[in-house]
Amino acid sequence: MVGNTVPGTHASVGILHHGVAETKNVLVTALPKNMDEQSSSTQPAAPAKTVKISRMDIHVQNLTPDIEKQLDVHHGVVVVGVSEGPAAEAGLMPGMIIQQINQQDVQNVSELAHIVAGLPKDQPIPMLVRQGKASIYVVITLSKK
C-alpha cells in the first residue's frame, strides 16, 4: 500500500503494539536512494530451494552465507516471491528477510511454515522484517488456507 501512495500524503496506519491494535497517522515519504540499492543486494546469488507458504502467499528460502555476511544477520528467511494476498497487503517484497513472526524468531523455512500453520486467521500478527540494513515491523492478517 505504501508503494502505491504518493510521497507527501498523510495516511492512517493500523499497528499492533504489545497485543493492542492502534491507529496512527503517518506522512508517507520517498525511500532514500541508498535503501533501494541495499535491498537489491539482498537477492541470492545462486538459485536455492524455495518453499511456498500458502497462508501468506509467498515463496521463501533459507539465508545464504553471503546474505548473512553482507547484512550481518544470523537468522531469518529471504522472501523470493510475493503473490497477491496477505504478504503483499502487509508490504512484503522479494529481497526482504523475515526474522520474526508473532514474536517468535524464524531460523529457517520449515520453522516459518510450522509457526504460520499454528497462527489464527483474520487476526493481526506482528512480523519483523529486514530490508537492506533496516528492520521494521509490519502487520499481517493470515487467511485460513
Side-chain angles (χ1 to χ4, degrees):
M1 288 187 329
V2 172
N4 293 325
T5 304
V6 178
T9 303
H10 288 273
S12 293
V13 177
I15 64 169
L16 189 62
H17 185 250
H18 296 290
V20 177
E22 298 178 24
T23 302
K24 299 284 184 180
N25 290 318
V26 298
L27 174 63
V28 177
T29 61
L31 188 64
K33 295 250 185 248
N34 64 348
M35 285 295 292
D36 291 333
E37 293 166 9
Q38 289 175 352
S39 68
S40 65
S41 68
T42 62
Q43 293 297 326
K49 181 182 175 192
T50 63
V51 173
K52 181 177 182 181
I53 308 294
S54 297
R55 291 188 69 201
M56 296 175 73
D57 290 316
I58 61 170
H59 285 84
V60 294
Q61 71 181 37
N62 289 326
L63 290 177
T64 64
D66 288 342
I67 293 171
E68 287 181 355
K69 183 179 178 183
Q70 186 177 32
L71 297 178
D72 193 27
V73 295
H74 306 291
H75 71 280
V77 298
V78 180
V79 176
V80 294
V82 181
S83 302
E84 188 174 319
E89 291 169 8
L92 267 65
M93 297 181 294
M96 288 182 160
I97 298 171
I98 300 172
Q99 295 185 296
Q100 281 185 354
I101 187 162
N102 201 32
Q103 300 176 347
Q104 297 178 61
D105 285 343
V106 174
Q107 302 296 328
N108 54 51
V109 294
S110 60
E111 190 171 83
L112 176 63
H114 177 74
I115 293 168
V116 169
L119 293 174
K121 71 173 193 141
D122 299 327
Q123 290 186 17
I125 306 290
M127 185 166 41
L128 179 65
V129 296
R130 185 153 178 169
Q131 182 173 16
K133 295 197 182 233
S135 294
I136 60 169
Y137 277 96
V138 297
V139 176
I140 189 166
T141 302
L142 301 172
S143 60
K144 185 175 182 177
K145 291 184 196 179

